[in-house]
Amino acid sequence: METETITENQKVRVAKKLKKMFGHMDRREMEYCPIRDVMALASDKWSILIILYLGYFPILRFNQLKKKVYGISNKVLSERLKILEADGYLSRQMYPEVPIRVEYQLTTFGHSYLLKLIDLSEWVTTYSDQIIDNRKRFKKG
Amino acid sequence: METETITENQKVRVAKKLKKMFGHMDRREMEYCPIRDVMALASDKWSILIILYLGYFPILRFNQLKKKVYGISNKVLSERLKILEADGYLSRQMYPEVPIRVEYQLTTFGHSYLLKLIDLSEWVTTYSDQIIDNRKRFKKG
DNA sequence: CCGTATCCCGGACGATACTG
DNA sequence: CAGTATCGTCCGGGATACGG
């Protein structure tokens, strides 16, 4: 399992993108930072899992999500859902039946984010064995 | 600023990828989860910023990084660097001069990860205004 | 200069109980 | 069923000082 080497062409494009991004970050320095204030809220382990599961199962209810996202507590799940809803990644539909029913699903915007998240997750799952291995070798030597 | 709609073709590819990923995650359920155990360690706000800065400035010393990654403390920076080094994203080169000099840079592996991270960060910076806006409207209504 | 060591605090998180 | 409320815990993370 070998990581592809980076071509010069890629390097140039990367440099350009970074330049643009850092320009963006500098301009509003101290005001707000997209990475800290936006990305961090949707790229923690819980949020990622929630979004991926909603990508896989288009509609999920609260307790279904709770079962899928193993180990999450009521409180944290409810908090995360509220944040993700507020930021526009997912929608919440409540049916005032008895017992009550609430359904969550990704918005169009959330689907767009899902694509990016899948790319990243794919990369990570592909290389996770290698990373675990790196970790072990680092510990030893 | 409109989010592109998702084509049927994309949906199918997404479903396939997710199926593969979740299969991967289920198979080792309880043993370890790539998202939790690998991705989460390299996708928190500090790690992202460290890696992006090392993408922009190929070589950085400890205190240079500390200045760039605004607000990070000695302790956290040193912890994150150790994790990122252990997992293979970056290398640490020490020159036993007086005063000592230590240089950090991305490995080839780290560059490969950087590409994915840039994609995500680009998406986020592109839509961050919209997200902030979503957030405000949610608060009001 | 590059960190580690220490101390301390606030906030994140888990568990549980409870309500509409 | 879908959460909220409450409480206790724990640890991430900030500040400072110091050692190699």
Side-chain angles (χ1 to χ4, degrees):
Chain A
M1 192 145 53
E2 191 78 27
T3 313
E4 329 80 56
T5 49
I6 316 290
T7 67
E8 274 310 309
N9 213 324
Q10 272 181 315
K11 268 193 189 168
V12 173
R13 275 189 297 126
V14 163
K16 267 192 190 169
K17 289 185 181 184
L18 281 168
K19 196 159 191 174
K20 196 175 167 193
M21 270 175 36
F22 278 111
H24 198 83
M25 283 162 65
D26 284 343
R27 190 160 52 74
R28 324 198 179 189
E29 201 174 13
M30 303 305 100
E31 200 177 327
Y32 91 107
C33 162
I35 306 288
R36 273 192 187 74
D37 301 337
V38 176
M39 187 165 169
L41 285 178
S43 73
D44 65 283
K45 61 177 178 179
W46 296 130
S47 302
I48 292 174
L49 287 170
I50 291 171
I51 291 172
L52 290 180
Y53 275 115
L54 281 174
Y56 196 48
F57 306 96
I59 296 183
L60 286 174
R61 302 169 63 170
F62 188 87
N63 280 326
Q64 290 178 318
L65 263 170
K66 200 186 161 186
K67 269 176 213 153
K68 308 273 182 206
V69 184
Y70 188 80
I72 197 168
S73 68
N74 277 3
K75 193 187 170 200
V76 174
L77 178 55
S78 136
E79 281 169 359
R80 290 283 179 267
L81 287 173
K82 221 171 287 173
I83 291 173
L84 293 175
E85 190 196 354
D87 283 10
Y89 299 105
L90 53 83
S91 68
R92 176 183 186 277
Q93 181 67 358
M94 187 178 96
Y95 301 91
E97 309 165 351
V98 181
I100 199 173
R101 177 164 55 103
V102 180
E103 296 183 342
Y104 294 91
Q105 55 185 313
L106 294 180
T107 59
T108 306
F109 189 67
H111 265 103
S112 158
Y113 182 59
L114 173 68
L115 295 179
K116 300 296 163 190
L117 224 44
I118 286 179
D119 276 356
L120 193 63
S121 315
E122 243 192 335
W123 189 92
V124 170
T125 48
T126 302
Y127 293 111
S128 66
D129 286 341
Q130 182 177 333
I131 293 171
I132 301 282
D133 219 58
N134 289 340
R135 213 175 276 175
K136 279 180 193 157
R137 258 186 293 119
F138 184 78
K139 242 185 175 174
K140 281 184 193 167
Chain B
M1 192 145 54
E2 191 77 27
T3 314
E4 329 81 56
T5 48
I6 315 291
T7 67
E8 274 311 309
N9 213 324
Q10 271 181 315
K11 269 193 191 169
V12 173
R13 275 190 296 126
V14 163
K16 266 192 190 168
K17 288 185 180 181
L18 281 168
K19 195 158 190 174
K20 196 174 166 192
M21 271 174 36
F22 278 110
H24 199 83
M25 283 162 66
D26 285 342
R27 192 160 49 77
R28 322 195 181 194
E29 201 174 12
M30 303 303 99
E31 202 177 327
Y32 92 107
C33 162
I35 307 288
R36 273 192 187 73
D37 302 337
V38 176
M39 187 165 170
L41 285 178
S43 72
D44 65 283
K45 61 176 178 180
W46 297 131
S47 303
I48 292 174
L49 287 170
I50 290 170
I51 290 173
L52 289 181
Y53 275 114
L54 281 174
Y56 197 47
F57 307 95
I59 296 182
L60 286 175
R61 302 170 62 170
F62 188 87
N63 281 327
Q64 290 179 317
L65 263 170
K66 199 185 162 186
K67 270 177 213 154
K68 308 274 183 206
V69 183
Y70 188 80
I72 198 168
S73 69
N74 277 2
K75 191 188 171 195
V76 174
L77 178 54
S78 135
E79 280 170 359
R80 290 284 179 264
L81 287 173
K82 219 173 287 171
I83 290 173
L84 293 175
E85 190 197 354
D87 282 9
Y89 299 105
L90 53 83
S91 68
R92 175 182 188 278
Q93 180 68 359
M94 187 179 95
Y95 302 90
E97 310 165 349
V98 181
I100 199 175
R101 178 163 56 102
V102 180
E103 296 182 343
Y104 295 90
Q105 55 185 312
L106 294 180
T107 59
T108 306
F109 189 67
H111 265 102
S112 160
Y113 182 60
L114 173 68
L115 295 180
K116 299 296 163 189
L117 224 45
I118 287 179
D119 276 354
L120 193 63
S121 314
E122 244 192 336
W123 188 92
V124 171
T125 48
T126 301
Y127 292 112
S128 64
D129 286 341
Q130 181 176 333
I131 292 172
I132 301 283
D133 218 57
N134 290 340
R135 212 175 278 177
K136 279 179 193 157
R137 259 186 295 117
F138 184 78
K139 242 184 176 175
K140 282 183 192 167

